[in-house]
Amino acid sequence: MEAAPHDPAETGLTVTSPEQMRELGRKLAKLLRAGDLVMLSGELGAGKTTLTRGLGEGLGVRGAVTSPTFVIARVHPSLGNGPPLVHVDAYRLGGGLDEMEDLDLDVSLGDSVIVVEWGEGKVEELTEDRLQVQIHRAVGDTTDEVRQVTLTGRGGRWAAADLGVLSA
């Protein structure tokens, strides 16, 4: 017997500065718990790593959160009793879940918060419960800091989540 699909929980926000993006990450951290998968997507320079930096601050993890582009994945242990943050950059991984399996994310998923940049088409099979964060920015020759952020919670974990608290 299959579980009934859940309507996704969704909210949209406008972010006007890198500091607001970090603050969004800090607020989002309060909603996260061990076992959560967060998928970040957006253009280069949209603010995915800045958001993750705020998540790390909100979760109270050790180490500066920087883009793991060259190491692919970085683990930030908790400084308290919260879950560790596993930050993955799947940009250079061409394959689907096969390449991601080499990172053993399924082993970490139960006791960590896993954030994957560029994970579309690569990590969805890890769990049906995930939070997708899409960051849109103006492209081209612009210094515009405005970002449109859409958060969509999928699966039972996020069915009753009030993502609207993030805009408060």
Side-chain angles (χ1 to χ4, degrees):
M1 183 170 171
E2 266 185 38
H6 297 277
D7 290 332
E10 186 169 294
T11 194
L13 307 163
T14 300
V15 174
T16 59
S17 69
E19 181 48 45
Q20 280 189 358
M21 188 66 77
R22 277 177 84 158
E23 180 59 24
L24 175 59
R26 288 189 287 270
K27 286 181 179 180
L28 180 56
K30 294 176 183 170
L31 298 178
L32 297 176
R33 62 185 186 216
D36 283 342
L37 171 65
V38 180
M39 294 173 51
L40 304 179
S41 58
E43 298 86 2
L44 285 169
K48 296 178 295 294
T49 301
T50 301
L51 178 71
T52 306
R53 195 168 291 126
L55 279 173
E57 292 168 6
L59 289 170
V61 298
R62 185 179 68 208
V65 175
T66 59
S67 179
T69 300
F70 298 105
V71 295
I72 301 180
R74 184 173 280 129
V75 177
H76 297 275
S78 175
L79 291 171
N81 58 0
L85 172 66
V86 178
H87 185 197
V88 180
D89 186 333
Y91 184 75
R92 294 186 302 133
L93 300 179
L97 195 57
D98 291 341
E99 277 189 63
M100 296 301 290
E101 281 181 350
D102 291 340
L103 300 176
D104 286 332
L105 293 181
D106 53 340
V107 173
S108 302
L109 185 57
D111 61 356
S112 304
V113 169
I114 298 181
V115 176
V116 182
E117 297 185 29
W118 306 98
E120 302 81 14
K122 299 173 185 171
V123 297
E124 290 90 340
E125 294 176 36
L126 285 173
T127 177
E128 70 177 32
D129 295 318
R130 61 188 177 274
L131 182 64
Q132 293 177 249
V133 181
Q134 177 70 44
I135 305 171
H136 293 283
R137 70 171 183 90
V139 292
D141 188 18
T142 179
T143 58
D144 188 357
E145 296 288 346
V146 175
R147 307 291 192 256
Q148 299 302 320
V149 182
T150 304
L151 298 100
T152 306
R154 303 210 178 267
R157 156 73 175 99
W158 294 100
D162 182 8
L163 296 175
V165 301
L166 298 172
S167 59

